[in-house]
Amino acid sequence: MTHGVALLADVTGRDLIVALARPGDAPGEHRVLPGSTSLELEAGLKSVLAELDADVLVGAAVAAAGPEIDGAVTLTSTGLTVSLTWLRHVLRTPRVYLVNDFTACAMGAPKVAEAALSVIHPGKAARNAAIAVLGPDIGLGVAGLAPLRGEGWLAVPSEGGHMDFCPVEAREAPIFSAVRARHGEVSAERLLSKEGLSDIHCALVGDGDPLVAPENDNVIIELARAGDAQAREAISIFSGLLGGFAGDMTLVFAARGGVFLNSPLLEAIGGLLDREAFVRRYRTKGRMSPYLAEVPVFSMPGRSALLGLSSLFSPSDMRYAASDVKFLDC
């Protein structure tokens, strides 16, 4: 059994979220470091390495907010590229995994204690069935998890947050028009994200004028807590749209094992989430409405991406010396 540790990191485009874990164990306490540039990422990773004894690092697993293509992830929100080659050079270890952030979230979902989950839509999760994981934050992450024969799961990456989106309820139509006037297109992520919440609120207070400057999402949440009617309506519309999208992803992944929401933005919204609007839109799927009625939706707290990354290591993992890096990169 190895006596080393694995470094786990989530690259969001703004922050570098880092934790350590003994292979086979859940991650320890995470820390949030600056991570908007490659220089900040390198400095943050090296600062963590500097705290470790020599040769104690087993490897690293990194999640980043963008599609993984040929060993690299270009962050959708910033254009910054993180590659396996660069990570191996910085970390001085050949054992580095690089995955999409919500693929990592999906991998972590089965490891979250049932007692930690909050029910948003009741239902009965089917055994040995796929699940869907999604969350609006800086962007809109989506992934699935399919059960393997016997034991284990297969993560299914997705860029479903960039699908076209359309209004269903009358109150949504002017919001979509305003967002289209501001951005030129309306994907799900345009509305179901921090920027999306700001744009929904801006469409309400500015009567659709694209020249009106949006408020910060944190300001909108505080206004809603203080009882501001337009801020509360913005969160209500956001809640309904999220429910509709969650229902779509339930159908896409045939996620009869449940839908799991994981998002710092949703944690900030907390009890302001309009669950009635969420459930109404979640279940409004025409002939498939009875199918949706049976599938539960859970709010999953914490950093499940780090939990998912920890599953890539096991107690049987061997350690490589830094001198092996060049050989294994060839």
Side-chain angles (χ1 to χ4, degrees), residues 135-140 161-168 171-180 182-183 185-203 217 234-235 237-242 245 265-266 269 281:
D137 198 60
I138 297 173
L140 175 58
H162 301 283
M163 295 167 58
D164 289 340
F165 212 30
C166 66
V168 172
R171 66 174 181 166
E172 298 168 0
I175 304 297
F176 276 72
S177 297
V179 171
R180 185 175 293 108
R182 182 179 294 275
H183 297 291
E185 46 84 21
V186 184
S187 65
E189 183 173 274
R190 284 294 186 195
L191 289 157
L192 296 174
S193 60
K194 290 186 172 188
E195 183 182 9
L197 177 59
S198 295
D199 281 342
I200 292 170
H201 179 260
C202 185
D217 58 283
I235 292 177
I237 292 172
F238 179 92
S239 303
L241 293 173
L242 181 60
F245 184 76
L265 175 58
L266 289 181
I269 290 172
R281 287 283 273 108

Side-chain angles (χ1 to χ4, degrees), residues 12 19 38 73 116 148 177 307:
T12 70
S38 58
V73 173
L148 297 172
S177 297
L307 193 58

Side-chain angles (χ1 to χ4, degrees), residues 7 30 35 40 57 78 82 86 97 109 114 118 128-129 154 168-169 189-190 193 197 237 243 252 264 278 288 292 317:
L7 185 150
H30 71 268
E40 288 182 341
L57 186 69
T78 67
V82 179
W86 181 82
Y97 300 97
E114 187 175 345
S118 299
N128 299 318
L154 173 67
V168 172
E169 297 183 347
E189 183 173 274
R190 284 294 186 195
S193 60
L197 177 59
I237 292 172
V252 166
F278 180 99
M288 294 305 290
L292 274 295
D317 282 328

Side-chain angles (χ1 to χ4, degrees), residues 27-79:
E29 288 295 318
H30 71 268
R31 68 188 81 176
V32 181
L33 304 172
S36 61
T37 68
S38 58
L39 289 176
E40 288 182 341
L41 290 176
E42 182 173 356
L45 292 170
K46 286 184 173 179
S47 71
V48 176
L49 290 182
E51 300 172 7
L52 302 177
D53 294 334
D55 297 326
V56 75
L57 186 69
V58 171
V62 179
E68 187 277 322
I69 302 174
D70 297 331
V73 173
T74 298
L75 276 66
T76 306
S77 61
T78 67

Side-chain angles (χ1 to χ4, degrees), residues 6-311:
L7 185 150
L8 314 174
D10 186 5
V11 180
T12 70
R14 295 182 185 178
D15 302 314
L16 171 66
I17 301 155
V18 188
L20 299 173
R22 288 175 59 85
D25 292 346
E29 288 295 318
H30 71 268
R31 68 188 81 176
V32 181
L33 304 172
S36 61
T37 68
S38 58
L39 289 176
E40 288 182 341
L41 290 176
E42 182 173 356
L45 292 170
K46 286 184 173 179
S47 71
V48 176
L49 290 182
E51 300 172 7
L52 302 177
D53 294 334
D55 297 326
V56 75
L57 186 69
V58 171
V62 179
E68 187 277 322
I69 302 174
D70 297 331
V73 173
T74 298
L75 276 66
T76 306
S77 61
T78 67
L80 175 68
T81 296
V82 179
S83 71
L84 282 172
T85 301
W86 181 82
L87 287 167
R88 287 170 178 159
H89 172 75
V90 171
L91 296 169
R92 307 305 302 163
T93 178
R95 175 169 282 161
V96 179
Y97 300 97
L98 178 63
V99 300
N100 168 265
D101 58 340
F102 261 79
T103 301
C105 279
M107 292 160 55
K111 295 178 174 291
V112 177
E114 187 175 345
L117 301 174
S118 299
V119 177
I120 296 177
H121 175 265
K124 184 176 181 180
R127 295 182 61 188
N128 299 318
I131 68 172
V133 181
L134 55 138
D137 198 60
I138 297 173
L140 175 58
V142 178
L145 211 60
L148 297 172
R149 289 181 180 271
E151 295 184 359
W153 298 88
L154 173 67
V156 183
S158 172
E159 290 300 319
H162 301 283
M163 295 167 58
D164 289 340
F165 212 30
C166 66
V168 172
E169 297 183 347
R171 66 174 181 166
E172 298 168 0
I175 304 297
F176 276 72
S177 297
V179 171
R180 185 175 293 108
R182 182 179 294 275
H183 297 291
E185 46 84 21
V186 184
S187 65
E189 183 173 274
R190 284 294 186 195
L191 289 157
L192 296 174
S193 60
K194 290 186 172 188
E195 183 182 9
L197 177 59
S198 295
D199 281 342
I200 292 170
H201 179 260
C202 185
L204 293 172
V205 300
D207 198 26
D209 185 349
L211 298 180
V212 175
E215 289 280 11
N216 179 275
D217 58 283
N218 292 320
V219 172
I220 296 166
I221 293 169
E222 288 306 314
L223 286 171
R225 286 203 182 99
D228 182 89
Q230 289 176 314
R232 283 182 172 269
E233 177 67 1
I235 292 177
S236 176
I237 292 172
F238 179 92
S239 303
L241 293 173
L242 181 60
F245 184 76
D248 290 342
M249 294 303 102
T250 304
L251 297 175
V252 166
F253 289 107
R256 298 189 66 246
V259 178
F260 295 78
L261 307 181
N262 182 250
S263 161
L265 175 58
L266 289 181
E267 289 187 23
I269 290 172
L272 293 170
L273 185 76
D274 187 341
R275 297 192 178 213
E276 181 181 343
F278 180 99
V279 170
R280 182 177 67 246
R281 287 283 273 108
Y282 175 74
R283 296 175 66 162
T284 304
K285 299 297 175 187
R287 289 174 291 182
M288 294 305 290
S289 293
Y291 182 99
L292 274 295
E294 300 296 324
V295 179
V297 181
F298 305 101
S299 176
M300 182 170 61
R303 297 286 179 180
S304 66
L306 297 178
L307 193 58
L309 292 175
S310 71
S311 69

